[in-house]
Amino acid sequence: MKYLFSLLFLLAYGSTVAQQPPVMPRDAAIEAKIEKQLEQMSLDEKIGQMVELEIGMITYRDPRYVVEKLARMSEQELADTLHRFGLDKQHNAAQLALKTPEDKQNREKLMGLYWVSNDIQAKLPFRLDEAALDSVVGKYKVGSILNAPQTTAQTPAVWNQVVKTIQDMSIKHLGIPTVYGLDQMHGTTYSAGGTLFPGAINMAATFNRDLVYKMGEIVAYETRACNVPWIYGPCIDLGRMQAWSRQYESFGEDVFLSGEIGAAALRGMQGDNPNHIDAYHVAGCLKHYFAYGAPYNGLDRSPARLSYEELREKQFAPFLRGIREGALSIMTNSSNVNGVKGTVNREFITGWLKEGLGWDGMVVTDWGDIDGAVTSDRVAPTAKEAIRLAINAGVDMMMVPSQFTYNGLLKELVEEGSVSMERIDDAVRRILRLKHRVGLFEQPNTFVVNYPKFGSEEFAAYSRQAALESIVLLKNDSVDSQSRLLPVKQGTRLLVCGPNANSMRTLNGGWSYTWQGDGADREEFTGHFNTIYEALRNKFGSEQVTLVEGVSYDSKRWAMDHADNIADAVAAAADNDYVIVCIGENTYAETRGNIADINLSTNQKNLVKALAATGKPILLVLNESRGRAISDIEPLAKAIVHTMLPGNYGGDALAELLAGNENFSGRLPYTYSAQPNAMVNYDYKASEVRETISGVYDYNAKTYEQWWFGAGMSYTTYTYSNLHADKNRFTKDDVLTLTVDVKNTGAMAGKETVMLYTSDLYASLMPDNRRLRGFEKIALAPGESKTVTFRIKASDLAFVGTDKKWTLEAGEFNIACGDQSVNIHCTEDYTWEEENIPDN
């Protein structure tokens, strides 16, 4: 009964939302084709379009190496097999061989053999199981396939053949092409030989819309070269919980930055006409709709507990921006918000998105999330009930992804009247509309021969530039009375230490050639790129640079490291002038990255402490997917550089910056906390003060940040002056124009990110400390000045009140840019009746 009550409540809420005209005008010709196709489709064919399976369901698996065969091998046979495939260092035959009847029931051993089977199959040449494909398309009418074989990057030639085979079968049986989807997370994740960019968090750290747009263009081009028309991205979750294991997939903690960077990436991916995407662009998929990046405990796929005001004003805002930019699809939140799982949240999917915005795109679930409604979130007792809730909530495509039961269960629901044919037809219209918009009916295949720039030097140059502009200088103290530690002078002897010093894997992070990022250490993918150590040798000379890591990562358990030879590193310091300690994290993706402690590992901290005790100047290089607490070792370093995940060219970019051949311009896209239990965002509420509160509440209330959002230093200096607002008084219809002069007052050319912040000084609902409202990145030669202009709609200064309506209140607002500030005055109150302020 409680499930029925919840659904009735959500249905009632959704029915009160006024139907809006489409955000993006439709193409009448496309709509006519869709209606004609719908008339000709059977119920089985319609339901098949709503199912997405992973490629493993149609992958040939060599029967010699399935789990059942491995389980029958003796220890020696298993050892010989592992050795033949070069897997004897990853798997231990003595531990995995089934020697007794009890072993055959040992879940841990059987799971071990499962991973052995997967690893062996991944070593074999990939091939489709065409009999399975014929069943998937012919019997189950499936309309979408996703993922890379063994979640490992494939060459364009392999992709061309695989997707063409699927398309041929789909058109033969259905007359409708398949839409293939891939997680191309930061460049061509799953396209061997393509252009991998720095992680999404780095792209945000550039504060450079043009670079992000080019990344979107390049990933689209190279993905279409692989015959794939659909990307699950950009990821515009707000990363507002630093411990979250997907922080690096986001564009950081700020609403405005995430919206701007996400919109730039989406434009690059989809091109100028989302109704007619050409053969060089792809359909984007905004994810994960929404509030996925704010789990209250910091763990992936954990609940978010957020107020309506926080949801509407912040978490929803980047998605609203993306919808207005023309996003063709959206992926639902894997977790739950205030107890309602994202996949079954009718209020958010149908109420806010489809009806509230008049959006006609397609909604897809994340991997296995309908099952998750039963197994993890427990909002439905059976898979059939979960399907009913999800489809009626507004889900159009179910990413199953590894079973065939959903077709039959959904058909039963339709025949029972639990899911209406109107809802089925609406979902299929949206799926067909996506396929038409990406041109699959006219051109179902695209081949690499027509994409000569795939993996080109032209594209690589953008990845290198993104690495340069994303690395952040956080500290640069003096080493003597005349100079700071950085830049490093030629001839300086450098000792390079730490587990991240000689690793490509850690430069790239998760979703790099493989799901967990371990593929980035494979010779065939990254053998021609340079680690930090290799890049420093190239820049400063092999005789001047010595490597003694001191600490290394465990080969199997990503979060484990070992203190191998700290004493050797300490001894080597005596022969060097500076010590560069490269610390941080190993790679991970999703829930494998969950951690119980945000502190950097004890072994790595002990390495830094031991090296600092030598008296040699310490440069900390932070190479991590999120900010790990280092407040106890930060004072030991003369300089600190945060690379985050700078990609294949990250080592080279870091060497250029440390040598002073390039200037730092990256800025932190999130607040870096100093203590494990002091997670804070820069736009904190006014009462979360940094200093002692005066008056009767005189206690040491303080936020414990290490570095605030937007932090970042340069080798040059910039002076701000003449911040001016064109209006001192304004109303809700005004557009405010603000100008500020910025001058490079140092001796080196550089790029400065000019950020404009606003603060509502007093409001009926506690105001945020401040909010980013604009940014521009400008290049300045020494002595050069530029005037930067910002235009802000007065309505952007509104907030969501306790009545759930947008309100702009009369009163004072502070505008700040650099060290400049002015106050302006709103002269009247105004409340909007619309759920979203119109985007005029």
Side-chain angles (χ1 to χ4, degrees):
M1 179 62 70
K2 65 181 180 180
Y3 303 110
L4 178 60
F5 176 81
S6 298
L7 183 60
L8 289 174
F9 174 81
L10 291 176
L11 286 169
Y13 179 88
S15 66
T16 67
V17 179
Q19 182 70 41
Q20 298 295 315
V23 178
M24 182 174 66
R26 295 175 187 165
D27 184 296
I30 288 178
E31 297 305 310
K33 291 176 184 177
I34 291 170
E35 294 307 313
K36 185 175 181 179
Q37 288 168 328
L38 268 179
E39 291 174 3
Q40 298 170 350
M41 294 173 71
S42 67
L43 177 58
D44 287 336
E45 288 171 333
K46 290 178 180 179
I47 288 174
Q49 288 297 303
M50 298 171 66
V51 172
E52 183 175 41
L53 297 179
E54 59 117 349
I55 195 171
M57 300 291 282
I58 52 174
T59 296
Y60 176 81
R61 294 182 70 84
D62 192 316
R64 294 173 295 174
Y65 306 110
V66 296
V67 172
E68 292 81 0
K69 288 292 182 70
L70 295 173
R72 297 192 191 107
M73 291 183 179
S74 67
E75 180 182 330
Q76 187 58 52
E77 289 172 326
L78 185 58
D80 291 343
T81 301
L82 291 172
H83 180 73
R84 187 162 66 251
F85 286 99
L87 296 170
D88 40 354
K89 291 184 179 179
Q90 292 176 242
H91 303 285
N92 188 314
Q95 294 175 357
L96 293 173
L98 306 186
K99 303 171 185 176
T100 67
E102 291 75 19
D103 283 346
K104 296 177 182 179
Q105 307 300 320
N106 187 315
R107 176 175 170 78
E108 186 174 343
K109 283 179 176 284
L110 292 172
M111 282 302 298
L113 291 176
Y114 169 80
W115 290 114
V116 169
S117 176
N118 274 359
D119 288 345
I120 291 174
Q121 300 288 351
K123 295 275 188 177
L124 299 169
F126 172 75
R127 57 184 272 204
L128 282 175
D129 184 335
E130 296 201 24
L133 174 61
D134 188 75
S135 178
V136 163
V137 178
K139 179 180 179 180
Y140 294 100
K141 321 296 184 186
V142 170
S144 183
I145 304 292
L146 82 151
N147 209 15
Q150 301 292 342
T151 62
T152 300
Q154 305 293 321
T155 65
V158 170
W159 278 121
N160 287 177
Q161 184 271 326
V162 167
V163 180
K164 182 182 185 303
T165 303
I166 295 170
Q167 292 292 31
D168 289 348
M169 190 76 73
S170 186
I171 292 169
K172 170 187 171 184
H173 283 293
L174 304 173
I176 299 173
T178 293
V179 60
Y180 204 107
L182 270 185
D183 284 294
Q184 303 278 57
M185 299 297 292
H186 56 112
T188 48
T189 298
Y190 287 130
S191 302
T195 307
L196 205 63
F197 274 79
I201 199 69
N202 286 69
M203 299 309 295
T206 69
F207 280 77
N208 188 328
R209 297 175 182 86
D210 294 338
L211 266 179
V212 175
Y213 175 85
K214 287 302 299 184
M215 178 194 71
E217 270 197 332
I218 290 167
V219 68
Y221 180 100
E222 294 191 338
T223 302
R224 288 308 285 262
C226 292
N227 205 7
V228 173
W230 188 27
I231 288 176
Y232 305 123
C235 176
I236 53 174
D237 300 307
L238 294 183
R240 293 178 69 81
M241 169 55 75
Q242 185 176 310
W244 185 45
S245 63
R246 307 191 75 166
Q247 175 86 355
Y248 69 93
E249 296 179 44
S250 78
F251 294 128
E253 71 181 47
D254 179 64
V255 178
F256 183 79
L257 177 63
S258 295
E260 289 292 294
I261 297 297
L266 185 66
R267 283 196 305 274
M269 290 177 183
Q270 294 193 162
D272 298 329
N273 185 359
N275 253 322
H276 295 280
I277 290 179
D278 64 27
Y280 300 100
H281 293 86
V282 296
C285 184
L286 305 179
K287 65 181 190 181
H288 305 81
Y289 182 78
F290 61 94
Y292 183 40
Y296 77 93
N297 62 6
L299 303 180
D300 185 41
R301 288 177 168 82
S302 290
R305 299 171 180 172
L306 300 168
S307 68
Y308 179 93
E309 294 79 15
E310 169 80 9
L311 291 172
R312 176 66 75 173
E313 190 174 328
K314 293 183 180 175
Q315 299 291 341
F316 179 65
F319 290 90
L320 174 60
R321 175 66 195 281
I323 292 300
R324 288 172 170 169
E325 201 66 51
L328 297 187
S329 65
I330 275 181
M331 183 180 289
T332 56
N333 180 352
S334 291
S335 185
N336 69 76
V337 177
N338 299 333
V340 183
K341 187 170 180 65
T343 310
V344 302
N345 196 321
R346 190 179 194 281
E347 177 185 0
F348 291 169
I349 299 172
T350 295
W352 288 25
L353 179 62
K354 290 184 173 181
E355 293 178 352
L357 294 175
W359 181 67
D360 65 5
M362 190 265 282
V363 175
V364 62
T365 73
D366 204 343
W367 185 283
D369 276 352
I370 293 180
D371 271 355
V374 180
T375 57
S376 61
D377 291 87
R378 299 188 182 183
V379 297
T382 64
K384 184 175 178 179
E385 175 67 4
I387 292 169
R388 183 181 73 83
L389 289 173
I391 300 302
N392 285 337
V395 164
D396 304 308
M397 182 180 285
M398 303 175 289
M399 190 186 289
V400 178
S402 303
Q403 53 183 293
F404 294 116
T405 59
Y406 277 41
N407 300 63
L409 292 174
L410 181 52
K411 186 175 182 180
E412 288 177 17
L413 289 165
V414 175
E415 292 173 341
E416 295 165 2
S418 298
V419 174
S420 70
M421 276 305 304
E422 288 78 12
R423 176 75 271 270
I424 296 295
D425 285 345
D426 174 62
V428 177
R429 278 190 188 94
R430 293 168 182 271
I431 294 165
L432 293 176
R433 187 176 292 126
L434 176 72
K435 293 182 177 185
H436 277 288
R437 282 172 166 170
V438 295
L440 289 179
F441 287 90
E442 294 76 24
Q443 189 175 2
N445 295 291
T446 51
F447 301 118
V448 69
V449 67
N450 297 315
Y451 296 81
K453 293 183 180 181
F454 181 90
S456 65
E457 173 56 31
E458 176 186 337
F459 287 175
Y462 287 104
S463 181
R464 278 196 294 270
Q465 188 62 30
L468 281 168
E469 293 196 28
S470 69
I471 295 174
V472 184
L473 177 61
L474 294 170
K475 183 177 182 180
N476 191 18
D477 287 351
S478 299
V479 289
D480 54 43
S481 60
Q482 296 182 331
S483 62
R484 299 180 183 273
L485 188 142
L486 298 178
V488 176
K489 298 179 177 63
Q490 286 292 336
T492 304
R493 293 169 298 171
L494 304 174
L495 172 64
V496 184
C497 304
N500 299 58
N502 199 29
S503 165
M504 286 305 304
R505 174 177 180 169
T506 56
L507 288 177
N508 282 299
W511 298 103
S512 300
Y513 304 108
T514 63
W515 177 37
Q516 293 295 320
D518 49 323
D521 265 347
R522 285 168 49 171
E523 184 70 21
E524 71 266 32
F525 294 137
T526 60
H528 53 299
F529 297 109
N530 294 313
T531 65
I532 293 173
Y533 164 65
E534 290 166 343
L536 291 174
R537 279 170 55 93
N538 292 341
K539 175 57 60 176
F540 293 100
S542 57
E543 299 82 10
Q544 302 300 116
V545 181
T546 302
L547 175 69
V548 183
E549 289 164 297
V551 173
S552 65
Y553 290 119
D554 189 271
S555 60
K556 292 184 180 179
R557 294 163 293 180
W558 78 268
M560 181 75 69
D561 57 30
H562 305 286
D564 300 317
N565 54 343
I566 292 179
D568 292 342
V570 169
D575 298 323
N576 290 276
D577 300 313
Y578 292 170
V579 179
I580 301 176
V581 195
C582 305
I583 54 179
E585 293 185 301
N586 203 347
T587 69
Y588 56 83
E590 303 189 55
T591 54
R592 291 192 189 181
N594 284 347
I595 53 176
D597 186 355
I598 199 69
N599 271 300
L600 187 70
S601 80
T602 299
N603 285 333
Q604 293 189 56
K605 287 189 174 184
N606 286 342
L607 173 65
V608 174
K609 291 172 183 177
L611 290 166
T614 67
K616 298 291 184 176
I618 302 293
L619 163 61
L620 291 186
V621 174
L622 307 177
N623 173 207
E624 53 195 14
S625 304
R626 58 196 152 191
R628 302 299 293 264
I630 58 166
S631 59
D632 53 337
I633 60 172
E634 180 274 331
L636 305 178
K638 287 291 185 181
I640 300 177
V641 174
H642 194 0
T643 70
M644 290 168 280
L645 300 174
N648 283 329
Y649 298 101
D652 298 322
L654 178 65
E656 293 294 323
L657 290 163
L658 296 184
N661 300 126
E662 297 281 350
N663 203 345
F664 287 94
S665 67
R667 298 291 193 98
L668 274 185
Y670 59 84
T671 299
Y672 197 117
S673 297
Q675 304 292 341
N677 295 326
M679 302 298 170
V680 65
N681 301 120
Y682 87 94
D683 53 355
Y684 60 82
K685 295 299 182 181
S687 61
E688 301 175 76
V689 296
R690 296 185 61 195
E691 306 300 338
T692 302
I693 297 178
S694 60
V696 293
Y697 296 108
D698 186 4
Y699 57 87
N700 290 320
K702 189 180 189 299
T703 59
Y704 290 92
E705 85 295 341
Q706 192 75 58
W707 296 283
W708 284 117
F709 167 87
M713 301 172 68
S714 170
Y715 287 140
T716 193
T717 54
Y718 302 99
T719 300
Y720 287 68
S721 61
N722 301 322
L723 177 61
H724 175 75
D726 68 333
K727 299 177 182 69
N728 293 323
R729 301 170 69 82
F730 66 94
T731 65
K732 58 102 176 175
D733 293 319
D734 285 324
V735 175
L736 307 170
T737 299
L738 300 111
T739 57
V740 66
D741 296 335
V742 184
K743 183 177 183 179
N744 183 343
T745 52
M748 185 176 182
K751 293 182 178 180
E752 171 71 341
T753 298
V754 183
M755 301 183 191
L756 188 79
Y757 293 91
T758 68
S759 299
D760 190 347
L761 299 185
Y762 293 91
S764 57
L765 192 64
M766 188 187 304
D768 291 339
N769 167 57
R770 63 176 182 164
R771 291 281 295 276
L772 181 69
R773 302 295 186 183
F775 66 85
E776 296 294 335
K777 193 164 191 176
I778 58 173
L780 292 171
E784 183 181 8
S785 295
K786 287 184 179 178
T787 299
V788 180
T789 301
F790 298 97
R791 290 181 175 83
I792 304 173
K793 292 182 296 181
S795 59
D796 288 344
L797 303 179
F799 63 91
V800 176
T802 56
D803 59 357
K804 299 185 177 180
K805 295 182 178 180
W806 287 91
T807 298
L808 180 64
E809 292 181 342
E812 294 293 316
F813 289 79
N814 179 259
I815 311 293
C817 189
D819 59 357
Q820 303 284 294
S821 69
V822 297
N823 279 13
I824 57 177
H825 185 84
C826 180
T827 59
E828 60 184 25
D829 295 339
Y830 187 82
T831 298
W832 282 262
E833 294 302 319
E834 301 93 336
E835 288 193 315
N836 300 297
I837 297 174
D839 185 30
N840 296 326

Short mmCIF file of all heavy atoms in Angstrom, two decimals, residues 403-435:
data_model
loop_
_atom_site.label_atom_id
_atom_site.label_comp_id
_atom_site.label_asym_id
_atom_site.label_seq_id
_atom_site.Cartn_x
_atom_site.Cartn_y
_atom_site.Cartn_z
N GLN A 403 20.71 -8.78 -18.69
CA GLN A 403 19.68 -9.81 -18.59
C GLN A 403 18.57 -9.55 -19.60
O GLN A 403 18.44 -8.43 -20.11
CB GLN A 403 19.12 -9.88 -17.17
CG GLN A 403 18.63 -8.55 -16.62
CD GLN A 403 18.16 -8.65 -15.19
OE1 GLN A 403 17.15 -9.31 -14.92
NE2 GLN A 403 18.88 -8.04 -14.27
N PHE A 404 17.77 -10.57 -19.84
CA PHE A 404 16.72 -10.49 -20.86
C PHE A 404 15.31 -10.44 -20.28
O PHE A 404 14.35 -10.51 -21.02
CB PHE A 404 16.81 -11.71 -21.80
CG PHE A 404 18.07 -11.73 -22.63
CD1 PHE A 404 19.00 -12.75 -22.47
CD2 PHE A 404 18.31 -10.75 -23.58
CE1 PHE A 404 20.15 -12.78 -23.23
CE2 PHE A 404 19.47 -10.78 -24.35
CZ PHE A 404 20.38 -11.79 -24.18
N THR A 405 15.19 -10.30 -18.97
CA THR A 405 13.87 -10.41 -18.34
C THR A 405 13.03 -9.16 -18.45
O THR A 405 11.80 -9.22 -18.32
CB THR A 405 14.02 -10.77 -16.86
OG1 THR A 405 14.80 -9.75 -16.21
CG2 THR A 405 14.70 -12.13 -16.70
N TYR A 406 13.66 -8.00 -18.70
CA TYR A 406 12.92 -6.74 -18.62
C TYR A 406 11.87 -6.61 -19.72
O TYR A 406 10.81 -6.04 -19.50
CB TYR A 406 13.89 -5.56 -18.70
CG TYR A 406 14.53 -5.21 -17.38
CD1 TYR A 406 14.96 -6.21 -16.51
CD2 TYR A 406 14.72 -3.89 -17.00
CE1 TYR A 406 15.55 -5.89 -15.30
CE2 TYR A 406 15.31 -3.57 -15.78
CZ TYR A 406 15.73 -4.58 -14.93
OH TYR A 406 16.31 -4.26 -13.74
N ASN A 407 12.16 -7.14 -20.90
CA ASN A 407 11.19 -7.06 -22.00
C ASN A 407 9.87 -7.70 -21.59
O ASN A 407 8.79 -7.10 -21.73
CB ASN A 407 11.72 -7.75 -23.25
CG ASN A 407 13.00 -7.17 -23.76
OD1 ASN A 407 14.02 -7.20 -23.09
ND2 ASN A 407 12.98 -6.64 -24.98
N GLY A 408 9.94 -8.92 -21.08
CA GLY A 408 8.73 -9.65 -20.71
C GLY A 408 8.00 -9.01 -19.55
O GLY A 408 6.76 -8.95 -19.54
N LEU A 409 8.74 -8.53 -18.56
CA LEU A 409 8.11 -7.90 -17.40
C LEU A 409 7.39 -6.62 -17.79
O LEU A 409 6.27 -6.35 -17.32
CB LEU A 409 9.16 -7.63 -16.32
CG LEU A 409 9.78 -8.86 -15.65
CD1 LEU A 409 10.91 -8.45 -14.73
CD2 LEU A 409 8.72 -9.66 -14.89
N LEU A 410 8.01 -5.81 -18.65
CA LEU A 410 7.36 -4.58 -19.07
C LEU A 410 6.13 -4.89 -19.92
O LEU A 410 5.09 -4.22 -19.80
CB LEU A 410 8.34 -3.69 -19.84
CG LEU A 410 7.80 -2.34 -20.33
CD1 LEU A 410 7.14 -1.55 -19.21
CD2 LEU A 410 8.92 -1.51 -20.97
N LYS A 411 6.20 -5.91 -20.76
CA LYS A 411 5.04 -6.28 -21.56
C LYS A 411 3.89 -6.71 -20.65
O LYS A 411 2.72 -6.35 -20.88
CB LYS A 411 5.41 -7.40 -22.52
CG LYS A 411 4.27 -7.75 -23.50
CD LYS A 411 4.72 -8.78 -24.53
CE LYS A 411 3.60 -9.07 -25.53
NZ LYS A 411 4.02 -10.07 -26.54
N GLU A 412 4.18 -7.47 -19.61
CA GLU A 412 3.14 -7.85 -18.64
C GLU A 412 2.50 -6.63 -18.01
O GLU A 412 1.27 -6.57 -17.85
CB GLU A 412 3.74 -8.74 -17.55
CG GLU A 412 4.11 -10.14 -17.99
CD GLU A 412 4.75 -10.94 -16.86
OE1 GLU A 412 4.63 -10.52 -15.68
OE2 GLU A 412 5.39 -11.97 -17.15
N LEU A 413 3.31 -5.65 -17.65
CA LEU A 413 2.78 -4.44 -17.02
C LEU A 413 1.84 -3.69 -17.97
O LEU A 413 0.81 -3.15 -17.54
CB LEU A 413 3.94 -3.53 -16.60
CG LEU A 413 4.76 -4.02 -15.41
CD1 LEU A 413 6.08 -3.24 -15.31
CD2 LEU A 413 3.98 -3.88 -14.11
N VAL A 414 2.19 -3.66 -19.25
CA VAL A 414 1.32 -2.99 -20.23
C VAL A 414 0.02 -3.76 -20.38
O VAL A 414 -1.08 -3.18 -20.36
CB VAL A 414 2.04 -2.85 -21.59
CG1 VAL A 414 1.09 -2.27 -22.63
CG2 VAL A 414 3.27 -1.96 -21.45
N GLU A 415 0.12 -5.07 -20.50
CA GLU A 415 -1.08 -5.88 -20.69
C GLU A 415 -1.98 -5.86 -19.47
O GLU A 415 -3.21 -6.00 -19.59
CB GLU A 415 -0.66 -7.32 -21.03
CG GLU A 415 -0.01 -7.43 -22.41
CD GLU A 415 0.56 -8.80 -22.71
OE1 GLU A 415 0.78 -9.59 -21.76
OE2 GLU A 415 0.81 -9.09 -23.90
N GLU A 416 -1.40 -5.67 -18.30
CA GLU A 416 -2.19 -5.57 -17.06
C GLU A 416 -2.78 -4.18 -16.85
O GLU A 416 -3.61 -3.99 -15.96
CB GLU A 416 -1.32 -5.93 -15.86
CG GLU A 416 -0.84 -7.36 -15.83
CD GLU A 416 0.30 -7.59 -14.85
OE1 GLU A 416 0.69 -6.62 -14.15
OE2 GLU A 416 0.82 -8.71 -14.79
N GLY A 417 -2.31 -3.21 -17.63
CA GLY A 417 -2.78 -1.84 -17.47
C GLY A 417 -2.01 -1.04 -16.44
O GLY A 417 -2.38 0.10 -16.12
N SER A 418 -0.91 -1.59 -15.92
CA SER A 418 -0.11 -0.88 -14.92
C SER A 418 0.80 0.18 -15.55
O SER A 418 1.23 1.12 -14.88
CB SER A 418 0.75 -1.87 -14.12
OG SER A 418 -0.07 -2.78 -13.43
N VAL A 419 1.13 -0.01 -16.81
CA VAL A 419 1.85 0.99 -17.61
C VAL A 419 1.01 1.23 -18.86
O VAL A 419 0.66 0.27 -19.57
CB VAL A 419 3.26 0.53 -18.00
CG1 VAL A 419 3.91 1.53 -18.95
CG2 VAL A 419 4.12 0.35 -16.75
N SER A 420 0.69 2.46 -19.14
CA SER A 420 -0.20 2.78 -20.26
C SER A 420 0.54 2.72 -21.59
O SER A 420 1.76 2.94 -21.66
CB SER A 420 -0.81 4.16 -20.08
OG SER A 420 0.17 5.16 -20.24
N MET A 421 -0.23 2.47 -22.66
CA MET A 421 0.36 2.54 -23.99
C MET A 421 0.81 3.96 -24.32
O MET A 421 1.76 4.16 -25.07
CB MET A 421 -0.63 2.05 -25.05
CG MET A 421 -0.64 0.54 -25.24
SD MET A 421 0.99 -0.19 -25.62
CE MET A 421 1.47 0.73 -27.08
N GLU A 422 0.13 4.95 -23.75
CA GLU A 422 0.53 6.35 -23.97
C GLU A 422 1.96 6.57 -23.44
O GLU A 422 2.75 7.25 -24.09
CB GLU A 422 -0.44 7.30 -23.29
CG GLU A 422 -1.81 7.41 -23.95
CD GLU A 422 -2.71 6.21 -23.64
OE1 GLU A 422 -2.36 5.43 -22.72
OE2 GLU A 422 -3.75 6.07 -24.31
N ARG A 423 2.26 6.00 -22.28
CA ARG A 423 3.60 6.15 -21.72
C ARG A 423 4.63 5.40 -22.57
O ARG A 423 5.74 5.90 -22.80
CB ARG A 423 3.60 5.64 -20.27
CG ARG A 423 4.97 5.63 -19.58
CD ARG A 423 5.45 7.00 -19.14
NE ARG A 423 6.20 7.65 -20.17
CZ ARG A 423 7.53 7.57 -20.36
NH1 ARG A 423 8.25 6.84 -19.54
NH2 ARG A 423 8.12 8.22 -21.31
N ILE A 424 4.29 4.21 -23.04
CA ILE A 424 5.18 3.46 -23.93
C ILE A 424 5.45 4.25 -25.20
O ILE A 424 6.60 4.42 -25.62
CB ILE A 424 4.58 2.08 -24.26
CG1 ILE A 424 4.45 1.22 -23.00
CG2 ILE A 424 5.44 1.38 -25.33
CD1 ILE A 424 5.76 0.84 -22.35
N ASP A 425 4.39 4.77 -25.81
CA ASP A 425 4.55 5.51 -27.06
C ASP A 425 5.37 6.78 -26.85
O ASP A 425 6.18 7.16 -27.72
CB ASP A 425 3.19 5.86 -27.66
CG ASP A 425 2.50 4.66 -28.30
OD1 ASP A 425 3.19 3.63 -28.53
OD2 ASP A 425 1.29 4.73 -28.56
N ASP A 426 5.16 7.43 -25.71
CA ASP A 426 5.94 8.64 -25.42
C ASP A 426 7.43 8.30 -25.32
O ASP A 426 8.29 9.00 -25.87
CB ASP A 426 5.46 9.28 -24.12
CG ASP A 426 6.32 10.45 -23.68
OD1 ASP A 426 6.40 11.44 -24.42
OD2 ASP A 426 6.96 10.35 -22.60
N ALA A 427 7.74 7.21 -24.62
CA ALA A 427 9.15 6.80 -24.47
C ALA A 427 9.77 6.46 -25.82
O ALA A 427 10.89 6.87 -26.13
CB ALA A 427 9.24 5.60 -23.53
N VAL A 428 9.03 5.71 -26.65
CA VAL A 428 9.58 5.29 -27.94
C VAL A 428 9.72 6.49 -28.87
O VAL A 428 10.69 6.57 -29.64
CB VAL A 428 8.70 4.19 -28.56
CG1 VAL A 428 9.23 3.79 -29.94
CG2 VAL A 428 8.67 2.96 -27.65
N ARG A 429 8.79 7.43 -28.80
CA ARG A 429 8.95 8.66 -29.59
C ARG A 429 10.28 9.34 -29.25
O ARG A 429 11.01 9.79 -30.14
CB ARG A 429 7.82 9.65 -29.30
CG ARG A 429 6.54 9.41 -30.04
CD ARG A 429 5.57 10.56 -29.86
NE ARG A 429 4.27 10.21 -30.43
CZ ARG A 429 3.27 9.68 -29.74
NH1 ARG A 429 3.41 9.46 -28.43
NH2 ARG A 429 2.13 9.37 -30.34
N ARG A 430 10.57 9.43 -27.99
CA ARG A 430 11.79 10.12 -27.54
C ARG A 430 13.04 9.37 -28.00
O ARG A 430 14.05 9.99 -28.37
CB ARG A 430 11.76 10.28 -26.02
CG ARG A 430 10.68 11.24 -25.54
CD ARG A 430 10.47 11.18 -24.03
NE ARG A 430 9.40 12.06 -23.61
CZ ARG A 430 9.56 13.35 -23.26
NH1 ARG A 430 10.77 13.88 -23.28
NH2 ARG A 430 8.54 14.09 -22.89
N ILE A 431 12.99 8.05 -27.97
CA ILE A 431 14.13 7.25 -28.42
C ILE A 431 14.32 7.39 -29.93
O ILE A 431 15.44 7.60 -30.41
CB ILE A 431 13.93 5.77 -28.02
CG1 ILE A 431 13.96 5.65 -26.50
CG2 ILE A 431 15.00 4.89 -28.66
CD1 ILE A 431 13.42 4.32 -25.98
N LEU A 432 13.23 7.29 -30.67
CA LEU A 432 13.31 7.45 -32.13
C LEU A 432 13.76 8.87 -32.48
O LEU A 432 14.53 9.07 -33.44
CB LEU A 432 11.96 7.15 -32.78
CG LEU A 432 11.49 5.70 -32.71
CD1 LEU A 432 10.09 5.57 -33.31
CD2 LEU A 432 12.45 4.75 -33.41
N ARG A 433 13.28 9.86 -31.71
CA ARG A 433 13.67 11.25 -31.97
C ARG A 433 15.18 11.41 -31.82
O ARG A 433 15.84 12.07 -32.63
CB ARG A 433 12.93 12.17 -31.00
CG ARG A 433 13.13 13.66 -31.28
CD ARG A 433 12.27 14.49 -30.34
NE ARG A 433 10.84 14.33 -30.64
CZ ARG A 433 9.92 13.97 -29.74
NH1 ARG A 433 10.29 13.72 -28.48
NH2 ARG A 433 8.66 13.85 -30.10
N LEU A 434 15.76 10.78 -30.79
CA LEU A 434 17.21 10.82 -30.62
C LEU A 434 17.91 10.20 -31.83
O LEU A 434 18.88 10.75 -32.35
CB LEU A 434 17.60 10.07 -29.34
CG LEU A 434 19.10 9.96 -29.07
CD1 LEU A 434 19.68 11.31 -28.65
CD2 LEU A 434 19.39 8.91 -28.00
N LYS A 435 17.43 9.06 -32.29
CA LYS A 435 18.06 8.38 -33.41
C LYS A 435 17.95 9.20 -34.70
O LYS A 435 18.89 9.23 -35.50
CB LYS A 435 17.44 6.99 -33.59
CG LYS A 435 17.75 6.04 -32.43
CD LYS A 435 17.17 4.65 -32.64
CE LYS A 435 17.57 3.73 -31.50
NZ LYS A 435 17.15 2.33 -31.71
#
